[in-house]
Amino acid sequence: METRNSIRPRGPVVIDIENITKDYVMGEEVVHALRGVTLQIHRNEYIAIMGPSGSGKSTLMNMLGCLDTPTSGRYEFNGKNVAEMDDDELAAVRNREIGFVFQTFNLLPRSTSLRNVELPLIYAGIEPERRLERATQVLTDVGLGDRIHHKPNELSGGQRQRVAIARALVNGPSIVLADEPTGNLDSKTGEEIMDLLEHLYERGNTIILVTHERDIAAHARRTVHLRDGLIEMDHAGFIPELDLPIAEITST
Amino acid sequence: MKRFFYELSESWKIAAAQMRSNLTRSTLTALGVIIGIIAVTLMGTAVNGISIGFDKSMAVLGDDVLYVTQWPWKPVDDWWNYRDRKKIKTEYAETLNRMIAATPNSNLVIAVPTSNLMRSIKYRGNQVDNVFVLGTTSDFIVTSTIDCTSGRFFNELESRGGVNVVVIGYDVADALFPSESPIDKSVLINGQLFKVVGVNTRQGTFLGLFSWDSMVAMPLAAFNKYFSAKSDSDVRVKLKDKTRLADAKDELTGLMRRVRGLPPEKKDDFSINEQQAFKSTLDPVKNSIAIAGLFITGLSLFVGAIGIMNITFVSVKERTKEIGTRKALGARRRTILLQFLIESTALCLLGGFIGLAFAYLMCFGIGKAFPSFPIHFSVGLVFLSMIVSIFTGLFSGFAPAWTASRLDPVAALRYE
């Protein structure tokens, strides 16, 4: 598979999903949001998950982010079976292994940047001095060293998203899961955020980008297309025109 | 464990920030608890005061004294069995004292006769009606908690000689001698002049229970000289050791049967009472006042608790997305539960503190305005109301906090 995809993973497997499905009961009807998805993500990959709405993109993202568990199938995160974890175990995985970046930033409005970034450290049980040190460090890394005592409403959209990224990074997660990270930003600010993600990737982070915008997905080194709950394509690089026949494209 | 403390301190910070940012809402919600705590605390204070008042009045009787009387000190259904009993005579005291002296290792110390009736008492233009006039011997002081502020109790010489001297209660002294010392003044009782030798220490009255404040005591010999006609008499007997009350009671019963010359087959034709018997008839009254009062005021606190519960539900609903975010960042169910429980508890504690402060001021004010009302604001009550506040908070916060902790993170994140 690796040779056919021409993907050269730089590290061990972080996410290993095999044939997972997810069904939702909506009233009388059962909706099959995922119909059997198999996917492997390695350390220090930069992968975009694309697909139109209703493709199961969000469901897959929730699954990858350990916010939800699959109806069937196998999901191993760093070799640990996530599918059978209870709520608190999942919370611990989210806390330590996954850094979430949301479209709407989801910062706590009445807390300063510093307190927002400290939050995952509190849930991880880190002592106050180290929390302060680490949060300040990460905020400085994303270029907000002079904004640590500002509240979200005193920051621009781009700065808010930087705080959110700092918060996602603060526990040193195995993956950064960014859901439409530029969706609420103008294109220039969006580019800045994408540059920051690029920078993180260069520094060795694993980044999973969920988006429906092609020029955003173009930043990734690998793209997974979802349609109707199945992976339609999984290929290296980005293909601007999907109907263009490209040798490396693999249908699953 | 460490993590738990960090979460705890974080939760307190969030709660404080939450209250600051929703100041009006928090104040209004806390108001319910404030009123509840004021009501409960005031009622607690009143109940406490009533209890102390009872005990104080009870202390007049003495816990080491037995009372030989015609009627028992408890309600009786077969009153006709008691009505025809022979009256208790003051002479019994002397007989009893001889018998006590003759008994080796007696549990009793001394018997003191008392006679009493109600009379008016006058000094110059002032008059006090319905004063409890007590005739007794100088030994009375042994059986009683009575104490003199000024002057003294009458002595043995005056007692035996039947001299016209009186010891007067504080309120009587106050009414007759508003601006001068009563000592050595002569008061008029039943047309006879009596010299005041002592004034009792103020005892305080409560709910019309008996108090020394409104009585006068004089030597029995003098009493018999002027008022023998329609007085009631008892004999009170002091115990050696109040822990051996039952033994003492048996001994006294035996002695009284000998005094009365009762053959073994006859029932006692007198009653022997002690403070405890009186107390046990009053205690249920006291307790039902306390229970009813606290229950009714407790309801107002309950209403306050429902207010808190309601606002916490609103808060959970409003912050659904925040809860989702926190869960995504690794907050466990417990973390969320704790956060909202602490928010509601903080509100209740705040309400509790304010309520307590108000209650304290009100007690202080009532105490100043009505000195006779036995108000008692105790440290125990402060702790109790704080504990009640905390439990109110936990109680009212639990259902919303539980709901919050159970939220599905996916749904919560999507909530707008």
Side-chain angles (χ1 to χ4, degrees), chain B residues 153-185:
Chain B
F153 202 74
F154 53 79
N155 58 30
E156 201 182 338
L157 212 65
E158 290 162 331
S159 175
R160 287 187 187 280
V163 184
N164 285 10
V165 289
V166 283
V167 176
I168 62 178
Y170 184 88
D171 288 348
V172 177
D174 205 35
L176 294 182
F177 306 95
S179 58
E180 53 188 315
S181 166
I183 305 297
D184 290 337
K185 305 278 168 15

Side-chain angles (χ1 to χ4, degrees), chain B residues 108-153:
Chain B
L108 311 171
V109 180
I110 194 165
V112 180
T114 60
S115 286
N116 59 72
L117 39 63
M118 305 299 253
R119 278 290 179 273
S120 300
I121 170 165
K122 283 184 223 171
Y123 175 73
R124 297 209 176 130
N126 300 331
Q127 173 166 346
V128 185
D129 293 325
N130 291 324
V131 176
F132 190 88
V133 180
L134 185 80
T136 185
T137 64
S138 56
D139 293 330
F140 182 79
I141 199 104
V142 182
T143 68
S144 161
T145 52
I146 202 165
D147 213 0
C148 289
T149 327
S150 53
R152 54 175 176 83
F153 202 74

Side-chain angles (χ1 to χ4, degrees), chain B residues 311-367:
Chain B
I311 215 70
T312 313
F313 265 121
V314 171
S315 182
V316 167
K317 196 82 190 160
E318 276 182 347
R319 286 153 69 198
T320 301
K321 193 160 186 168
E322 179 195 317
I323 295 165
T325 307
R326 285 177 184 277
K327 286 199 159 190
L329 297 180
R332 298 200 226 171
R333 286 186 173 175
R334 185 190 69 191
T335 318
I336 303 291
L337 185 77
L338 198 67
Q339 181 187 332
F340 284 96
L341 274 184
I342 285 183
E343 280 194 37
S344 63
T345 306
L347 259 181
C348 282
L349 262 180
L350 182 77
F353 269 119
I354 298 174
L356 202 61
F358 271 112
Y360 180 76
L361 289 177
M362 283 160 109
C363 282
F364 189 74
I366 293 170

Side-chain angles (χ1 to χ4, degrees), chain A:
Chain A
M1 194 168 174
E2 284 169 19
T3 47
R4 281 179 68 193
N5 263 352
S6 82
I7 289 166
R8 259 182 271 283
R10 300 183 197 180
V13 175
V14 179
I15 286 175
D16 188 3
I17 283 176
E18 193 179 300
N19 206 23
I20 60 163
T21 65
K22 181 71 183 179
D23 300 338
Y24 291 108
V25 181
M26 301 276 243
E28 300 280 291
E29 247 183 305
V30 178
V31 178
H32 304 285
L34 294 177
R35 297 160 182 267
V37 172
T38 301
L39 186 67
Q40 276 193 333
I41 300 174
H42 297 256
R43 184 168 297 283
N44 198 214
E45 270 199 87
Y46 192 167
I47 178 170
I49 295 172
M50 289 195 73
S53 63
S55 61
K57 186 180 53 171
S58 302
T59 309
L60 180 60
M61 184 200 68
N62 291 338
M63 222 53 78
L64 292 176
C66 294
L67 289 165
D68 210 347
T69 48
T71 308
S72 72
R74 188 172 61 88
Y75 179 11
E76 283 182 9
F77 195 108
N78 279 338
K80 277 173 279 180
N81 188 357
V82 174
E84 281 162 15
M85 285 188 175
D86 66 22
D87 279 12
D88 283 351
E89 289 168 327
L90 288 174
V93 172
R94 292 195 294 265
N95 181 235
R96 290 167 190 274
E97 305 289 356
I98 300 166
F100 286 93
V101 179
F102 302 97
Q103 178 177 1
T104 50
F105 321 137
N106 291 24
L107 297 177
L108 304 186
R110 282 180 286 273
S111 302
T112 61
S113 309
L114 192 64
R115 303 245 319 124
N116 266 292
V117 176
E118 268 190 320
L119 204 58
L121 296 169
I122 292 172
Y123 294 149
I126 310 291
E127 51 272 14
E129 304 80 46
R130 277 196 53 211
R131 280 199 317 242
L132 183 70
E133 189 189 323
R134 176 90 183 118
T136 314
Q137 176 63 46
V138 180
L139 277 165
T140 312
D141 285 352
V142 299
L144 290 176
D146 55 342
R147 294 280 189 278
I148 61 171
H149 296 300
H150 288 57
K151 290 184 180 172
N153 60 6
E154 296 158 351
L155 298 172
S156 70
Q159 287 171 331
R160 287 182 209 184
Q161 194 60 300
R162 280 167 192 271
V163 174
I165 290 171
R167 186 177 65 181
L169 290 173
V170 74
N171 260 342
S174 297
I175 61 166
V176 173
L177 192 57
D179 178 18
E180 305 278 9
T182 59
N184 276 24
L185 301 171
D186 60 62
S187 52
K188 185 174 166 291
T189 319
E191 277 308 315
E192 283 170 24
I193 293 299
M194 293 319 293
D195 288 346
L196 178 57
L197 289 179
E198 181 69 30
H199 175 64
L200 297 178
Y201 169 65
E202 296 295 336
R203 278 191 6 191
N205 282 288
T206 310
I207 294 170
I208 302 171
L209 194 61
V210 180
T211 184
H212 65 276
E213 286 181 71
R214 291 182 182 190
D215 46 346
I216 294 301
H219 290 84
R221 303 296 190 274
R222 175 184 171 196
T223 314
V224 171
H225 290 268
L226 278 177
R227 186 177 290 273
D228 298 330
L230 287 168
I231 292 183
E232 193 183 36
M233 268 180 273
D234 182 350
H235 57 83
F238 176 74
I239 303 96
E241 295 301 327
L242 283 180
D243 39 350
L244 218 81
I246 287 180
E248 283 89 355
I249 292 177
T250 316
S251 290
T252 42

Side-chain angles (χ1 to χ4, degrees), chain B residues 217-251:
Chain B
M218 63 174 68
L220 183 64
F223 184 93
N224 285 340
K225 228 188 294 177
Y226 307 114
F227 321 102
S228 61
K230 274 200 168 176
S231 64
D232 291 322
S233 300
D234 313 329
V235 174
R236 45 182 77 186
V237 183
K238 165 102 169 162
L239 307 184
K240 201 171 271 166
D241 179 2
K242 62 183 169 194
T243 58
R244 301 184 58 195
L245 190 107
D247 293 346
K249 218 170 160 180
D250 286 346
E251 185 185 340

